[in-house]
Amino acid sequence: MSWKDFGLNTIRAKQSIVESVVISFLVVGLLCAGKYVLMNLYPERFPHRYIMSWEHFDYTYITYLVIAPLQEFITRGVVQTSLQRLLVGRHLVLLAIMITSFLFGSLHVFSSFYLGLTATLTGWLWGWMYYRHQNLIGVSIAHFLIGNLTGLMGLWLVF
């Protein structure tokens, strides 16, 4: 197998990038709406009345430029691709995405259960995106955007 088989290629890159940006902003839009609702339901949990703030920004947001694609290479490129080739049956792609997402989520539980759950759910989305395009470009962009914008929303502090 070559590096291209593990998602390191530019096949359908433009489609992958456009789809990832659209999906990322839809997800972040839903998260913003959700945070707005939570701020009104639980004002004591959100003493600052903002959806996003640069006060959460630190060096980790910059290092995420490397970390998110690296996580996607390992998770989607290596694990999901390998599972898709090893599993048999009608639902092998779905199983590969589910198994990979649960592994990805379990690696985030060290921070909190909710972060692990969130990583599992976003892993399903990113697994599907990777399967559709078979490259890591769009998935890495979505991971970077959703992860960082969620952080700027202060949701990691709540989790």
Side-chain angles (χ1 to χ4, degrees):
M1 292 178 68
S2 71
W3 289 106
K4 289 181 180 184
D5 296 319
F6 293 105
L8 296 176
N9 63 65
T10 56
I11 299 168
R12 293 187 294 277
K14 183 178 178 182
Q15 296 162 321
S16 166
I17 292 167
V18 169
E19 181 178 281
S20 71
V21 170
V22 169
I23 288 173
S24 296
F25 283 105
L26 286 173
V27 168
V28 170
L30 289 171
L31 289 171
C32 288
K35 183 173 180 187
Y36 179 78
V37 169
L38 288 173
M39 285 187 331
N40 289 313
L41 290 175
Y42 306 103
E44 67 281 355
R45 295 283 306 226
F46 301 94
H48 305 290
R49 301 294 294 177
Y50 59 79
I51 300 293
M52 285 190 199
S53 172
W54 285 103
E55 78 180 32
H56 303 295
F57 185 82
D58 62 17
Y59 74 93
T60 60
Y61 288 78
I62 297 165
T63 62
Y64 215 50
L65 277 168
V66 174
I67 299 301
L70 184 60
Q71 285 181 333
E72 291 306 325
F73 170 69
I74 293 167
T75 307
R76 283 349 121 204
V78 175
V79 177
Q80 183 173 323
T81 298
S82 299
L83 285 171
Q84 283 177 209
R85 290 179 178 263
L86 291 171
L87 295 172
V88 294
R90 272 181 53 178
H91 304 289
L92 66 97
V93 172
L94 179 62
L95 281 173
I97 292 170
M98 298 288 283
I99 292 167
T100 302
S101 298
F102 283 121
L103 287 170
F104 184 70
S106 69
L107 294 173
H108 288 76
V109 171
F110 73 91
S111 274
S112 77
F113 171 78
Y114 296 111
L115 180 57
L117 181 61
T118 302
T120 300
L121 295 175
T122 55
W124 294 344
L125 171 65
W126 296 329
W128 171 76
M129 290 171 64
Y130 174 71
Y131 171 70
R132 282 180 41 80
H133 298 289
Q134 294 300 304
N135 75 54
L136 294 168
I137 298 167
V139 176
S140 297
I141 291 170
H143 187 155
F144 176 79
L145 289 173
I146 293 170
N148 275 346
L149 292 174
T150 303
L152 291 176
M153 291 170 62
L155 292 177
W156 298 136
L157 301 175
V158 176
F159 292 135

